[in-house]
């Protein structure tokens, strides 16, 4: 990632307003633990193109990773406003809504996401977490199985296997 950072900084020196360069810089900075730079480049994008919804998604996701779910929801809301047809926005916002205790909103978002993109294993993991919070363990276990069959473990690791071991007998 150090070489990628150096290359992207060279591209940034040529064109500091290229959205692709800025988005990639934010991702590489995240990998390198340069937290302040992540936000710097993402916010730079929305300063000159306030309609570029991928920046809002990434800002929301970064806030989500930091545990700032209320802020994450604000940015996911902005992204939905620009692209209401992106199922991954709803999936991400669903998780932050879950983490803020808004189970109804979380379920509405995840249902919409799954309807739009039924092959998203992460969405089934999110819905399983909502069902667990609602103490609907049979439904949670069904979604854990769906997450597994749609490739969650290969993409994201063993989290759903741990959930299965804990909640599904």
């Amino acid at each position: 990632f150090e070489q990628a950072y150096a290359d992207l900084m060279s591209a940034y020196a040529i064109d500091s307003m290229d959205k692709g360069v800025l988005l990639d810089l934010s991702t590489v900075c995240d990998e390198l633990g340069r937290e302040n730079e992540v936000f710097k480049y993402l916010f730079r994008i929305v300063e000159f193109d306030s309609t570029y919804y991928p920046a809002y998604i990434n800002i929301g996701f970064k806030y989500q990773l930091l545990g700032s779910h209320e802020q994450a929801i604000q940015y996911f809301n902005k992204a939905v406003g620009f692209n209401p047809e992106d199922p991954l926005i709803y999936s991400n916002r669903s998780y932050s809504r879950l983490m803020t205790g808004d189970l109804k909103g979380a379920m509405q978002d995840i249902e919409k996401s799954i309807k739009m993109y039924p092959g998203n294993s992460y969405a089934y993991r999110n819905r399983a977490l909502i069902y667990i919070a609602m103490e609907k363990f049979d439904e949670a276990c069904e979604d854990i199985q769906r997450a597994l069959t749609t490739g969650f473990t290969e993409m994201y690791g063993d989290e759903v296997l741990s959930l299965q071991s804990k909640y599904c007998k």
Side-chain angles (χ1 to χ4, degrees):
F1 290 103
E2 290 292 343
Q3 186 58 53
Y5 180 78
D7 292 344
L8 286 164
M9 288 308 291
S10 295
Y12 179 76
I14 295 168
D15 185 356
S16 65
M17 293 177 56
D18 183 286
K19 291 179 277 202
V21 169
L22 292 167
L23 207 56
D24 288 348
L25 258 173
S26 71
T27 301
V28 168
C29 287
D30 197 33
E31 291 292 335
L32 293 172
R34 297 171 177 241
E35 301 293 327
N36 293 336
E37 288 182 71
V38 173
F39 285 114
K40 171 186 167 184
Y41 297 121
L42 291 172
F43 284 122
R44 180 152 173 76
I45 295 170
V46 298
E47 282 174 15
F48 67 82
D49 186 352
S50 63
T51 66
Y52 190 66
Y53 79 94
Y56 293 115
I57 295 170
N58 286 10
I59 292 168
F61 189 68
K62 185 61 183 170
Y63 277 126
Q64 189 177 75
L65 291 174
L66 294 173
S68 300
H69 294 285
E70 292 288 348
Q71 286 180 292
I73 291 167
Q74 291 174 14
Y75 286 95
F76 292 139
N77 288 345
K78 288 181 183 187
V80 165
F82 290 112
N83 188 359
E85 302 304 315
D86 186 330
L88 301 180
I89 302 169
Y90 295 103
S91 181
N92 285 323
R93 188 173 69 179
S94 172
Y95 182 74
S96 283
R97 284 182 162 176
L98 168 65
M99 298 310 290
T100 62
D102 178 9
L103 298 181
K104 182 179 178 183
M107 186 59 83
Q108 288 171 341
D109 275 352
I110 206 62
E111 291 288 340
K112 182 176 268 192
S113 179
I114 289 171
K115 184 177 180 183
M116 295 167 79
Y117 179 21
N120 181 6
S121 64
Y122 209 83
Y124 293 110
R125 172 266 197 182
N126 285 352
R127 191 166 68 180
L129 292 173
I130 296 165
Y131 281 134
I132 289 167
M134 299 168 82
E135 298 185 6
K136 294 183 176 185
F137 300 111
D138 290 340
E139 292 90 338
C141 292
E142 288 175 20
D143 276 343
I144 288 167
Q145 189 57 49
R146 285 186 187 105
L148 289 168
T149 57
T150 52
F152 185 94
T153 305
E154 293 81 6
M155 289 284 295
Y156 306 107
D158 294 338
E159 179 186 359
V160 292
L161 292 173
S162 296
L163 291 172
Q164 186 178 50
S165 170
K166 184 172 182 179
Y167 294 102
C168 308
K169 306 288 181 214

